[in-house]
Amino acid sequence: MLSSVFKDIKAISESEDPEWIAAKLQQMKDPDVQSIVVGDSNLERFDKGILEFLNLVQDQPWMYATHKFGYIAPYNSGSIQPQSIQHPSAIQPDNSLKNNRINIRLDRLHIEKYPGGGTHNVLITFAVRNQLANTQESVSFSQTYRVQEGQSAGIAGYPVFIGLNVGSQGIAFECSTVNVKNEEDKTILAALESSPFQSGLKLLTTTQPAIAPFTEITLGVVRLLAQRNENVAVQKFYLGLDFEDSAMGCRLAEGNYIAVQVADETVIDWNKWIYKPEVGAIVHKADNSQLSYNYVIFRISQYEE
């Protein structure tokens, strides 16, 4: 399985240093912290500023370091019946995907709140292993989206990996997002919007010599951007999907997988939520409210020639 390719990228939620977080937000000109005193020479005033800052940001969606995972099964074409949502550990694996090929597409990128405020330039990167007959090749794919706070990116079904070889053990899927505020870095993001990146990463059943350098360049760009002063990594998650029957394992099947950035996995009970096909949204059964968190939804389907 895949060891974390994002281990050297520190998401803002992973930091235990409030001064670093506060300095980062000031660099990004976050509207919520402009009045907080950071680095003042007066110790008493400085301590008060840090305490105010901690109280301000502790419940921000971008400060959550955990992700809650969910799964929505495929439904019959034309059906408008609400779809139930389950944790991926509660579903049956689709063994027809074993030693087969799949497509992975991005269906939703929702930004409830990211550092910096306003419209966010979000660099999202996916990483998996393409499992070939005699070897494995690490592959990654990045794309950038401009998303207004409280809204979702204007995409559905965006191709990420086409023809990914699964193998017998399933897949390990990783994702990271970087909020890019540095104006000079936006030219790099523009390159990711060019035509070579618009159709996802097409994979073969044999080793592709160009994949390794492409992956290294992609991950190098992500690491560089995540470390720049006005930029910050916000979300990181790792999801292993396999064919085993262990109680806490997550299964691989066709359908949609949801990754919601939360303070604790218990804050969301999927029994209280449904997916409504007629509006294309996940809503609460009681009041039709939508998820007020940052989340990513990707889709897995069987590859067809």
Side-chain angles (χ1 to χ4, degrees):
M1 285 299 188
L2 185 68
S3 60
S4 177
V5 299
F6 302 126
K7 61 181 181 297
D8 53 350
I9 296 176
K10 182 172 69 174
I12 192 169
S13 60
E14 296 177 300
S15 176
E16 297 179 355
D17 183 354
E19 295 178 39
W20 179 87
I21 297 174
K24 176 65 70 173
L25 294 178
Q26 283 199 324
Q27 291 166 355
M28 301 178 73
K29 298 179 175 59
D30 188 287
D32 291 336
V33 297
Q34 287 301 294
S35 61
I36 299 298
V37 178
V38 178
D40 195 281
S41 59
N42 184 296
L43 184 61
E44 181 179 352
R45 187 179 175 195
F46 173 78
D47 288 342
K48 181 181 178 182
I50 289 294
L51 288 174
E52 290 176 356
F53 169 77
L54 288 174
N55 289 331
L56 177 67
V57 303
Q58 64 181 352
D59 288 327
Q60 297 288 350
W62 47 262
M63 273 296 289
Y64 303 149
T66 302
H67 278 79
K68 171 79 171 188
F69 298 110
Y71 169 81
I72 306 172
Y75 63 91
N76 294 328
S77 178
S79 171
I80 58 172
Q81 295 300 313
Q83 298 284 112
S84 63
I85 305 173
Q86 300 172 278
H87 191 273
S89 65
I91 69 173
Q92 292 295 315
D94 183 349
N95 288 308
S96 70
L97 300 181
K98 188 180 295 187
N99 296 315
N100 211 328
R101 302 174 71 189
I102 62 172
N103 299 327
I104 299 179
R105 300 178 185 274
L106 178 63
D107 274 338
R108 196 81 83 249
L109 172 62
H110 181 81
I111 307 303
E112 184 66 22
K113 194 171 184 63
Y114 264 22
T119 299
H120 301 279
N121 290 281
V122 181
L123 174 67
I124 184 167
T125 303
F126 306 95
V128 293
R129 279 193 188 276
N130 190 37
Q131 302 184 57
L132 305 173
N134 299 315
T135 187
Q136 297 181 354
E137 57 184 6
S138 297
V139 294
S140 66
F141 180 79
S142 295
Q143 190 49 255
T144 178
Y145 302 101
R146 283 175 285 275
V147 189
Q148 181 70 30
E149 195 155 280
Q151 298 180 9
S152 297
I155 49 100
Y158 199 101
V160 178
F161 299 114
I162 304 300
L164 178 71
N165 296 277
V166 173
S168 61
Q169 300 300 315
I171 64 170
F173 184 83
E174 282 192 271
C175 178
S176 80
T177 64
V178 176
N179 191 32
V180 179
K181 295 287 284 186
N182 191 317
E183 289 295 327
E184 295 178 0
D185 292 334
K186 292 177 184 178
T187 58
I188 299 177
L189 298 188
L192 295 177
E193 297 175 337
S194 61
S195 57
F197 292 90
Q198 294 298 307
S199 57
L201 193 60
K202 293 185 173 70
L203 301 169
L204 306 177
T205 56
T206 56
T207 303
Q208 295 168 265
I211 287 291
F214 178 85
T215 296
E216 285 303 313
I217 291 172
T218 299
L219 294 178
V221 168
V222 175
R223 295 184 184 108
L224 173 66
L225 294 182
Q227 295 170 2
R228 296 288 287 268
N229 285 344
E230 296 177 22
N231 307 333
V232 68
V234 182
Q235 293 176 258
K236 282 180 18 179
F237 67 84
Y238 178 108
L239 181 60
L241 300 172
D242 55 46
F243 303 102
E244 300 176 5
D245 294 325
S246 57
M248 298 187 69
C250 294
R251 326 286 184 239
L252 177 62
E254 291 190 84
N256 282 105
Y257 288 84
I258 312 159
V260 188
Q261 189 176 17
V262 293
D264 185 271
E265 288 190 35
T266 60
V267 301
I268 295 179
D269 178 357
W270 287 128
N271 289 318
K272 298 179 180 179
W273 296 82
I274 54 174
Y275 173 72
K276 281 192 170 182
E278 68 269 28
V279 295
I282 295 171
V283 300
H284 198 279
K285 290 180 179 179
D287 57 11
N288 278 329
S289 61
Q290 298 190 28
L291 288 169
S292 56
Y293 301 94
N294 302 319
Y295 61 87
V296 175
I297 302 178
F298 64 94
R299 185 196 336 155
I300 289 178
S301 60
Q302 189 160 313
Y303 174 80
E304 296 182 3
E305 297 286 353

